[in-house]
Amino acid sequence: MKNRFKKELAVGLILTLLVVLLAACGGENNNKTNNSGAKELSLTEIEAKAKEEGSVVSVGMPDSWANWKGTWEDIQSKYGLSHTDTDMSSAEEIAKFEAEKDKPTADIGDVGIAFGSVAIAKGVTQPYKTSYWDEIPAWAKDQDGHWLIGYQGTIAFLTNKKLVANPPQSWEDLKNGNYKIVTGDVTKAAQAQMAVLAAAMAFGGDESNIEPGLAFFEDLAKNGRLANVEASVANIEKGEVEVTLLWDFNALNYRDQLGKDQYAVTIPKEGSVVSGYATIINKYAPHPNAAKLTREYILSDAGQINLAKGYARPIRDSVKLPDDVAAKLLPKEDYANAKPVGDYKVWEETAKSIPEQWQERVLVHIN
Protein backbone atom coordinates (compact mmCIF):
# COMPACT_ATOMS: atom_id res chain seq x y z
CA MET A 1 0.00 0.00 0.00
CA LYS A 2 2.83 2.33 0.85
CA ASN A 3 4.56 1.70 -2.48
CA ARG A 4 1.25 2.13 -4.32
CA PHE A 5 0.67 5.46 -2.62
CA LYS A 6 4.13 6.63 -3.64
CA LYS A 7 3.49 5.58 -7.23
CA GLU A 8 0.08 7.33 -7.33
CA LEU A 9 1.60 10.46 -5.78
CA ALA A 10 4.36 10.44 -8.37
CA VAL A 11 1.87 9.99 -11.21
CA GLY A 12 -0.29 12.75 -9.80
CA LEU A 13 2.63 15.13 -9.63
CA ILE A 14 3.59 14.31 -13.21
CA LEU A 15 0.01 14.86 -14.41
CA THR A 16 -0.19 18.16 -12.55
CA LEU A 17 3.07 19.30 -14.13
CA LEU A 18 1.78 18.34 -17.57
CA VAL A 19 -1.44 20.32 -17.02
CA VAL A 20 0.56 23.39 -15.97
CA LEU A 21 2.83 23.07 -19.00
CA LEU A 22 -0.12 22.63 -21.37
CA ALA A 23 -1.90 25.63 -19.85
CA ALA A 24 1.22 27.72 -20.30
CA CYS A 25 1.52 26.59 -23.90
CA GLY A 26 -2.16 27.31 -24.40
CA GLY A 27 -1.76 30.79 -22.94
CA GLU A 28 1.15 31.47 -25.27
CA ASN A 29 -0.87 30.30 -28.27
CA ASN A 30 -3.83 32.46 -27.27
CA ASN A 31 -1.62 35.50 -27.51
CA LYS A 32 -0.67 34.56 -31.03
CA THR A 33 -3.99 33.46 -32.40
CA ASN A 34 -7.29 35.11 -33.24
CA ASN A 35 -10.82 33.82 -32.69
CA SER A 36 -10.56 31.42 -35.62
CA GLY A 37 -7.34 29.87 -34.29
CA ALA A 38 -5.19 31.43 -36.99
CA LYS A 39 -1.91 33.12 -36.07
CA GLU A 40 -2.30 36.84 -35.43
CA LEU A 41 -0.17 38.95 -37.73
CA SER A 42 1.63 42.11 -36.71
CA LEU A 43 0.68 45.35 -38.45
CA THR A 44 3.95 45.18 -40.39
CA GLU A 45 3.10 41.66 -41.57
CA ILE A 46 -0.45 42.71 -42.51
CA GLU A 47 0.90 45.60 -44.56
CA ALA A 48 3.38 43.35 -46.36
CA LYS A 49 0.74 40.75 -47.18
CA ALA A 50 -1.72 43.46 -48.26
CA LYS A 51 0.82 44.78 -50.73
CA GLU A 52 1.21 41.23 -52.07
CA GLU A 53 -2.58 41.01 -52.52
CA GLY A 54 -2.39 44.27 -54.44
CA SER A 55 -5.99 45.45 -54.28
CA VAL A 56 -9.02 45.99 -52.06
CA VAL A 57 -12.65 45.66 -53.19
CA SER A 58 -15.28 47.51 -51.19
CA VAL A 59 -19.07 47.71 -51.16
CA GLY A 60 -21.10 50.66 -49.93
CA MET A 61 -18.05 52.94 -49.75
CA PRO A 62 -18.39 55.17 -52.85
CA ASP A 63 -16.21 58.21 -53.56
CA SER A 64 -19.06 60.65 -52.87
CA TRP A 65 -19.88 59.30 -49.39
CA ALA A 66 -17.92 60.81 -46.46
CA ASN A 67 -14.95 61.51 -48.75
CA TRP A 68 -14.10 57.85 -49.27
CA LYS A 69 -12.42 59.12 -52.43
CA GLY A 70 -9.64 60.66 -50.32
CA THR A 71 -9.23 57.44 -48.36
CA TRP A 72 -8.91 55.30 -51.48
CA GLU A 73 -6.44 57.73 -53.05
CA ASP A 74 -4.27 57.61 -49.92
CA ILE A 75 -4.44 53.82 -49.73
CA GLN A 76 -3.35 53.58 -53.34
CA SER A 77 -0.48 56.07 -52.98
CA LYS A 78 0.66 54.87 -49.54
CA TYR A 79 0.35 51.11 -50.01
CA GLY A 80 0.04 50.61 -53.76
CA LEU A 81 -3.41 49.01 -53.49
CA SER A 82 -5.84 49.43 -56.38
CA HIS A 83 -9.50 49.84 -55.47
CA THR A 84 -13.02 49.33 -56.80
CA ASP A 85 -16.39 49.88 -55.12
CA THR A 86 -19.99 48.92 -55.76
CA ASP A 87 -22.45 51.17 -53.95
CA MET A 88 -25.02 49.18 -51.95
CA SER A 89 -27.31 49.47 -48.96
CA SER A 90 -26.27 47.86 -45.68
CA ALA A 91 -28.64 44.91 -46.19
CA GLU A 92 -27.39 44.36 -49.73
CA GLU A 93 -23.76 44.30 -48.59
CA ILE A 94 -24.42 41.54 -46.07
CA ALA A 95 -26.47 39.59 -48.60
CA LYS A 96 -23.60 39.83 -51.10
CA PHE A 97 -21.05 38.51 -48.61
CA GLU A 98 -23.32 35.56 -47.87
CA ALA A 99 -24.33 34.79 -51.45
CA GLU A 100 -20.77 34.88 -52.77
CA LYS A 101 -19.03 32.89 -50.03
CA ASP A 102 -17.93 30.20 -52.49
CA LYS A 103 -16.72 32.76 -55.05
CA PRO A 104 -16.15 35.97 -53.06
CA THR A 105 -15.44 39.27 -54.79
CA ALA A 106 -15.72 41.85 -51.98
CA ASP A 107 -13.35 42.45 -49.07
CA ILE A 108 -14.85 45.19 -46.91
CA GLY A 109 -18.13 47.07 -46.48
CA ASP A 110 -19.55 50.02 -44.56
CA VAL A 111 -22.89 49.41 -42.81
CA GLY A 112 -25.22 51.22 -40.45
CA ILE A 113 -24.55 50.24 -36.85
CA ALA A 114 -27.82 48.31 -36.56
CA PHE A 115 -26.61 45.98 -39.30
CA GLY A 116 -23.42 45.04 -37.47
CA SER A 117 -25.11 42.35 -35.40
CA VAL A 118 -26.99 41.15 -38.47
CA ALA A 119 -23.69 40.55 -40.26
CA ILE A 120 -22.34 38.64 -37.25
CA ALA A 121 -25.49 36.51 -37.04
CA LYS A 122 -25.13 35.65 -40.73
CA GLY A 123 -21.57 34.52 -40.05
CA VAL A 124 -20.06 36.63 -42.83
CA THR A 125 -17.52 38.73 -40.89
CA GLN A 126 -14.02 38.28 -39.54
CA PRO A 127 -12.61 40.25 -36.58
CA TYR A 128 -9.87 42.85 -36.65
CA LYS A 129 -9.49 45.38 -33.83
CA THR A 130 -6.84 47.80 -35.23
CA SER A 131 -4.13 49.47 -33.16
CA TYR A 132 -6.58 52.25 -32.19
CA TRP A 133 -8.96 49.85 -30.45
CA ASP A 134 -8.76 51.40 -26.98
CA GLU A 135 -9.74 54.85 -28.29
CA ILE A 136 -13.04 53.65 -29.72
CA PRO A 137 -16.04 54.10 -27.38
CA ALA A 138 -17.66 50.86 -26.20
CA TRP A 139 -20.92 51.67 -28.01
CA ALA A 140 -19.03 52.06 -31.30
CA LYS A 141 -17.50 48.58 -31.61
CA ASP A 142 -18.25 44.89 -31.39
CA GLN A 143 -16.34 43.45 -28.44
CA ASP A 144 -14.52 40.99 -30.71
CA GLY A 145 -13.86 43.46 -33.52
CA HIS A 146 -16.33 42.13 -36.10
CA TRP A 147 -17.62 45.67 -36.71
CA LEU A 148 -16.10 49.02 -35.83
CA ILE A 149 -17.49 52.56 -36.17
CA GLY A 150 -15.25 54.90 -38.14
CA TYR A 151 -17.34 58.10 -38.19
CA GLN A 152 -20.51 59.68 -36.83
CA GLY A 153 -23.44 61.40 -38.48
CA THR A 154 -26.70 63.16 -37.60
CA ILE A 155 -29.91 63.17 -39.66
CA ALA A 156 -30.40 66.59 -41.31
CA PHE A 157 -32.63 68.36 -43.84
CA LEU A 158 -31.20 69.31 -47.25
CA THR A 159 -33.46 71.93 -48.84
CA ASN A 160 -33.42 73.31 -52.38
CA LYS A 161 -33.99 77.01 -51.70
CA LYS A 162 -35.07 77.65 -55.28
CA LEU A 163 -38.03 75.33 -54.70
CA VAL A 164 -38.70 76.11 -51.02
CA ALA A 165 -38.66 79.79 -50.08
CA ASN A 166 -38.47 79.13 -46.35
CA PRO A 167 -36.30 76.06 -45.65
CA PRO A 168 -37.65 74.02 -42.71
CA GLN A 169 -35.83 74.48 -39.42
CA SER A 170 -37.79 71.87 -37.51
CA TRP A 171 -39.90 68.73 -37.89
CA GLU A 172 -42.96 70.89 -37.29
CA ASP A 173 -41.94 73.12 -40.22
CA LEU A 174 -41.52 70.00 -42.33
CA LYS A 175 -44.99 68.78 -41.43
CA ASN A 176 -46.65 72.11 -42.20
CA GLY A 177 -45.00 72.68 -45.59
CA ASN A 178 -46.49 72.06 -49.03
CA TYR A 179 -43.46 70.52 -50.74
CA LYS A 180 -42.36 66.95 -51.43
CA ILE A 181 -39.96 65.15 -49.09
CA VAL A 182 -37.57 62.29 -49.87
CA THR A 183 -36.47 59.76 -47.23
CA GLY A 184 -34.76 57.12 -49.35
CA ASP A 185 -35.52 53.40 -49.11
CA VAL A 186 -36.63 52.83 -45.52
CA THR A 187 -37.04 49.10 -46.15
CA LYS A 188 -33.30 48.66 -46.76
CA ALA A 189 -31.07 51.65 -46.06
CA ALA A 190 -29.77 52.49 -42.58
CA GLN A 191 -29.75 56.23 -43.35
CA ALA A 192 -33.47 56.15 -44.19
CA GLN A 193 -34.35 54.05 -41.13
CA MET A 194 -32.48 56.47 -38.91
CA ALA A 195 -34.60 59.29 -40.36
CA VAL A 196 -37.64 57.49 -38.94
CA LEU A 197 -35.93 57.16 -35.57
CA ALA A 198 -34.89 60.83 -35.64
CA ALA A 199 -38.51 61.91 -36.14
CA ALA A 200 -39.63 59.55 -33.40
CA MET A 201 -37.09 61.01 -30.95
CA ALA A 202 -38.16 64.55 -31.85
CA PHE A 203 -41.75 63.75 -30.83
CA GLY A 204 -41.07 61.88 -27.60
CA GLY A 205 -40.14 58.42 -28.86
CA ASP A 206 -36.88 56.52 -28.75
CA GLU A 207 -35.26 53.35 -30.07
CA SER A 208 -37.87 51.23 -28.29
CA ASN A 209 -40.80 53.37 -29.48
CA ILE A 210 -40.73 54.58 -33.11
CA GLU A 211 -44.49 55.06 -33.30
CA PRO A 212 -44.23 58.90 -33.31
CA GLY A 213 -41.87 58.67 -36.30
CA LEU A 214 -44.02 56.21 -38.24
CA ALA A 215 -47.13 58.30 -37.55
CA PHE A 216 -45.31 61.43 -38.74
CA PHE A 217 -44.37 59.90 -42.11
CA GLU A 218 -47.71 58.11 -42.47
CA ASP A 219 -49.45 61.47 -42.23
CA LEU A 220 -47.10 62.99 -44.82
CA ALA A 221 -47.73 60.06 -47.18
CA LYS A 222 -51.51 60.33 -46.84
CA ASN A 223 -51.22 63.99 -47.81
CA GLY A 224 -49.11 63.24 -50.87
CA ARG A 225 -46.00 64.80 -49.34
CA LEU A 226 -43.54 61.88 -49.76
CA ALA A 227 -41.75 61.21 -53.04
CA ASN A 228 -40.77 57.58 -53.62
CA VAL A 229 -37.40 58.25 -55.26
CA GLU A 230 -33.81 57.51 -54.28
CA ALA A 231 -32.12 60.08 -52.05
CA SER A 232 -29.21 60.47 -54.45
CA VAL A 233 -27.25 63.52 -55.57
CA ALA A 234 -28.30 62.79 -59.17
CA ASN A 235 -32.02 63.03 -58.32
CA ILE A 236 -31.47 66.14 -56.21
CA GLU A 237 -29.47 67.77 -59.01
CA LYS A 238 -32.41 67.37 -61.41
CA GLY A 239 -34.19 70.07 -59.39
CA GLU A 240 -37.22 67.87 -58.73
CA VAL A 241 -36.50 67.17 -55.05
CA GLU A 242 -37.47 69.88 -52.59
CA VAL A 243 -36.31 68.46 -49.24
CA THR A 244 -34.21 65.35 -48.62
CA LEU A 245 -33.53 63.66 -45.28
CA LEU A 246 -29.85 62.68 -45.12
CA TRP A 247 -26.93 62.24 -42.81
CA ASP A 248 -25.37 65.66 -42.24
CA PHE A 249 -22.15 64.61 -43.97
CA ASN A 250 -24.06 63.66 -47.12
CA ALA A 251 -26.22 66.79 -47.00
CA LEU A 252 -23.21 69.10 -46.64
CA ASN A 253 -21.35 67.26 -49.38
CA TYR A 254 -24.29 67.48 -51.80
CA ARG A 255 -24.79 71.15 -50.97
CA ASP A 256 -21.21 71.99 -51.84
CA GLN A 257 -21.34 69.90 -55.02
CA LEU A 258 -24.57 71.41 -56.30
CA GLY A 259 -24.19 75.01 -55.16
CA LYS A 260 -23.73 76.22 -51.63
CA ASP A 261 -26.00 79.23 -52.13
CA GLN A 262 -28.86 77.14 -53.50
CA TYR A 263 -29.12 74.55 -50.73
CA ALA A 264 -29.63 74.78 -46.98
CA VAL A 265 -28.56 72.15 -44.45
CA THR A 266 -30.38 72.10 -41.13
CA ILE A 267 -30.35 69.96 -38.00
CA PRO A 268 -34.02 69.99 -36.88
CA LYS A 269 -34.53 72.01 -33.71
CA GLU A 270 -36.71 69.53 -31.81
CA GLY A 271 -34.03 66.88 -32.08
CA SER A 272 -32.35 64.30 -34.26
CA VAL A 273 -30.35 61.10 -33.91
CA VAL A 274 -26.58 60.70 -33.78
CA SER A 275 -25.27 57.39 -35.04
CA GLY A 276 -22.41 55.94 -37.00
CA TYR A 277 -21.28 53.61 -39.74
CA ALA A 278 -19.13 50.55 -39.21
CA THR A 279 -16.71 48.67 -41.40
CA ILE A 280 -17.25 44.93 -41.72
CA ILE A 281 -14.56 42.67 -43.19
CA ASN A 282 -15.82 39.80 -45.32
CA LYS A 283 -15.09 36.41 -43.73
CA TYR A 284 -14.40 35.11 -47.22
CA ALA A 285 -12.46 38.18 -48.45
CA PRO A 286 -10.15 37.44 -51.39
CA HIS A 287 -7.84 40.20 -50.07
CA PRO A 288 -8.23 39.88 -46.27
CA ASN A 289 -5.04 41.70 -45.30
CA ALA A 290 -5.83 44.60 -47.63
CA ALA A 291 -9.21 44.84 -45.88
CA LYS A 292 -7.57 44.90 -42.44
CA LEU A 293 -5.05 47.49 -43.57
CA THR A 294 -7.92 49.61 -44.91
CA ARG A 295 -9.69 49.53 -41.55
CA GLU A 296 -6.40 50.41 -39.84
CA TYR A 297 -5.96 53.44 -42.09
CA ILE A 298 -9.56 54.60 -41.62
CA LEU A 299 -8.96 54.83 -37.84
CA SER A 300 -5.61 56.61 -38.20
CA ASP A 301 -5.33 60.39 -37.78
CA ALA A 302 -5.03 60.83 -41.55
CA GLY A 303 -8.00 58.56 -42.18
CA GLN A 304 -10.17 60.34 -39.63
CA ILE A 305 -9.25 63.72 -41.12
CA ASN A 306 -10.12 62.40 -44.59
CA LEU A 307 -13.59 61.47 -43.34
CA ALA A 308 -13.99 64.92 -41.77
CA LYS A 309 -13.12 66.45 -45.14
CA GLY A 310 -16.27 64.64 -46.26
CA TYR A 311 -18.18 66.27 -43.36
CA ALA A 312 -18.24 63.12 -41.21
CA ARG A 313 -17.28 63.65 -37.59
CA PRO A 314 -14.43 61.35 -36.45
CA ILE A 315 -15.05 58.62 -33.89
CA ARG A 316 -11.66 59.25 -32.24
CA ASP A 317 -11.85 62.34 -30.02
CA SER A 318 -8.07 62.67 -29.88
CA VAL A 319 -7.81 63.59 -33.56
CA LYS A 320 -7.05 67.29 -34.10
CA LEU A 321 -8.78 68.57 -37.22
CA PRO A 322 -7.06 71.27 -39.30
CA ASP A 323 -8.91 74.59 -39.10
CA ASP A 324 -10.05 74.46 -42.72
CA VAL A 325 -11.48 70.97 -42.21
CA ALA A 326 -13.23 71.89 -38.96
CA ALA A 327 -14.80 74.85 -40.79
CA LYS A 328 -16.55 72.47 -43.20
CA LEU A 329 -18.72 71.10 -40.39
CA LEU A 330 -21.85 72.67 -38.90
CA PRO A 331 -21.52 74.67 -35.65
CA LYS A 332 -21.65 72.55 -32.50
CA GLU A 333 -24.65 74.49 -31.19
CA ASP A 334 -26.76 73.18 -34.09
CA TYR A 335 -26.54 69.73 -32.47
CA ALA A 336 -27.86 70.80 -29.07
CA ASN A 337 -30.86 68.47 -29.24
CA ALA A 338 -29.26 65.67 -31.27
CA LYS A 339 -28.81 62.49 -29.25
CA PRO A 340 -27.20 59.08 -29.77
CA VAL A 341 -29.19 55.89 -29.55
CA GLY A 342 -29.47 54.90 -25.90
CA ASP A 343 -29.51 51.13 -26.37
CA TYR A 344 -28.35 49.69 -29.67
CA LYS A 345 -29.49 46.18 -28.78
CA VAL A 346 -33.03 47.53 -28.46
CA TRP A 347 -32.64 49.49 -31.72
CA GLU A 348 -31.42 46.35 -33.51
CA GLU A 349 -34.67 44.62 -32.59
CA THR A 350 -36.79 47.63 -33.47
CA ALA A 351 -35.05 48.07 -36.83
CA LYS A 352 -36.08 44.55 -37.84
CA SER A 353 -39.74 45.59 -37.76
CA ILE A 354 -39.32 48.82 -39.74
CA PRO A 355 -39.45 47.45 -43.32
CA GLU A 356 -42.80 45.72 -42.80
CA GLN A 357 -44.33 48.63 -40.88
CA TRP A 358 -43.13 51.11 -43.50
CA GLN A 359 -44.67 49.01 -46.25
CA GLU A 360 -48.00 48.65 -44.47
CA ARG A 361 -48.36 52.16 -43.13
CA VAL A 362 -46.46 54.47 -45.49
CA LEU A 363 -45.72 52.98 -48.90
CA VAL A 364 -49.35 51.98 -49.41
CA HIS A 365 -50.20 55.71 -49.59
CA ILE A 366 -47.47 56.65 -52.11
CA ASN A 367 -48.22 56.51 -55.80
Side-chain angles (χ1 to χ4, degrees):
M1 290 290 291
K2 188 174 182 181
N3 289 335
R4 181 180 174 185
F5 174 76
K6 287 181 178 179
K7 289 180 180 178
E8 289 178 347
L9 180 60
V11 171
L13 290 171
I14 291 170
L15 289 173
T16 301
L17 180 60
L18 286 172
V19 168
V20 172
L21 289 171
L22 287 171
C25 291
E28 182 180 354
N29 286 339
N30 285 339
N31 289 332
K32 295 181 179 179
T33 60
N34 59 25
N35 291 346
S36 65
K39 180 178 178 295
E40 286 280 12
L41 300 177
S42 68
L43 183 54
T44 300
E45 290 171 321
I46 289 173
E47 182 176 336
K49 288 184 177 293
K51 289 178 178 178
E52 290 175 8
E53 292 168 355
S55 65
V56 60
V57 179
S58 66
V59 286
M61 303 171 81
D63 287 356
S64 62
W65 183 288
N67 189 39
W68 283 127
K69 180 179 181 180
T71 295
W72 301 128
E73 288 176 346
D74 282 1
I75 284 175
Q76 183 170 15
S77 63
K78 187 176 178 66
Y79 305 113
L81 301 181
S82 62
H83 167 259
T84 57
D85 180 82
T86 302
D87 194 11
M88 294 182 172
S89 69
S90 298
E92 290 168 339
E93 292 175 43
I94 295 169
K96 181 179 177 67
F97 284 6
E98 185 176 30
E100 294 184 351
K101 61 184 179 180
D102 294 326
K103 292 184 179 180
T105 61
D107 300 307
I108 189 170
D110 191 47
V111 300
I113 191 172
F115 288 87
S117 61
V118 176
I120 294 175
K122 293 285 186 180
V124 298
T125 59
Q126 59 175 292
Y128 180 63
K129 293 186 175 182
T130 89
S131 60
Y132 303 96
W133 180 255
D134 292 341
E135 291 190 52
I136 311 304
W139 68 265
K141 59 189 177 185
D142 165 62
Q143 63 179 359
D144 295 318
H146 283 273
W147 57 263
L148 182 62
I149 294 294
Y151 57 100
Q152 305 173 68
T154 300
I155 293 296
F157 303 159
L158 175 66
T159 305
N160 186 332
K161 294 191 287 186
K162 285 188 177 180
L163 303 176
V164 180
N166 297 306
Q169 304 295 311
S170 65
W171 293 100
E172 195 64 31
D173 288 348
L174 203 67
K175 181 178 181 179
N176 294 329
N178 59 2
Y179 39 79
K180 287 287 184 75
I181 299 157
V182 174
T183 63
D185 190 349
V186 175
T187 66
K188 293 181 179 179
Q191 175 178 245
Q193 291 180 357
M194 281 292 184
V196 177
L197 176 57
M201 292 171 72
F203 294 110
D206 57 24
E207 61 271 17
S208 67
N209 174 25
I210 59 168
E211 173 56 31
L214 287 170
F216 178 81
F217 287 107
E218 182 180 19
D219 184 59
L220 290 176
K222 287 179 178 178
N223 287 288
R225 299 278 315 287
L226 289 185
N228 192 22
V229 299
E230 184 183 355
S232 67
V233 66
N235 284 334
I236 296 168
E237 188 174 17
K238 292 176 184 176
E240 299 172 354
V241 176
E242 287 95 336
V243 178
T244 312
L245 306 188
L246 299 162
W247 291 119
D248 53 354
F249 53 83
N250 281 331
L252 290 165
N253 186 9
Y254 294 174
R255 180 198 67 179
D256 284 2
Q257 284 186 57
L258 301 176
K260 195 169 184 178
D261 293 335
Q262 184 178 340
Y263 292 86
V265 178
T266 309
I267 305 298
K269 290 181 179 179
E270 301 97 336
S272 188
V273 63
V274 179
S275 188
Y277 273 72
T279 53
I280 53 173
I281 297 175
N282 190 354
K283 180 180 180 180
Y284 314 99
H287 313 108
N289 294 291
K292 292 176 182 178
L293 188 61
T294 295
R295 176 181 280 180
E296 185 75 34
Y297 182 78
I298 289 168
L299 271 296
S300 71
D301 284 14
Q304 294 281 279
I305 290 171
N306 262 341
L307 290 166
K309 288 178 180 177
Y311 314 97
R313 283 170 291 151
I315 194 65
R316 288 179 52 222
D317 289 338
S318 64
V319 177
K320 172 65 176 175
L321 297 179
D323 291 342
D324 61 329
V325 176
K328 294 166 72 73
L329 307 180
L330 292 175
K332 287 186 178 181
E333 53 267 27
D334 287 10
Y335 296 87
N337 294 321
K339 300 176 182 178
V341 174
D343 189 331
Y344 270 100
K345 289 185 178 179
V346 172
W347 171 241
E348 287 165 10
E349 290 303 310
T350 301
K352 293 175 184 177
S353 70
I354 290 179
E356 184 177 357
Q357 293 191 73
W358 187 261
Q359 180 71 44
E360 294 177 349
R361 296 183 55 177
V362 181
L363 289 184
V364 292
H365 302 296
I366 301 177
N367 296 327

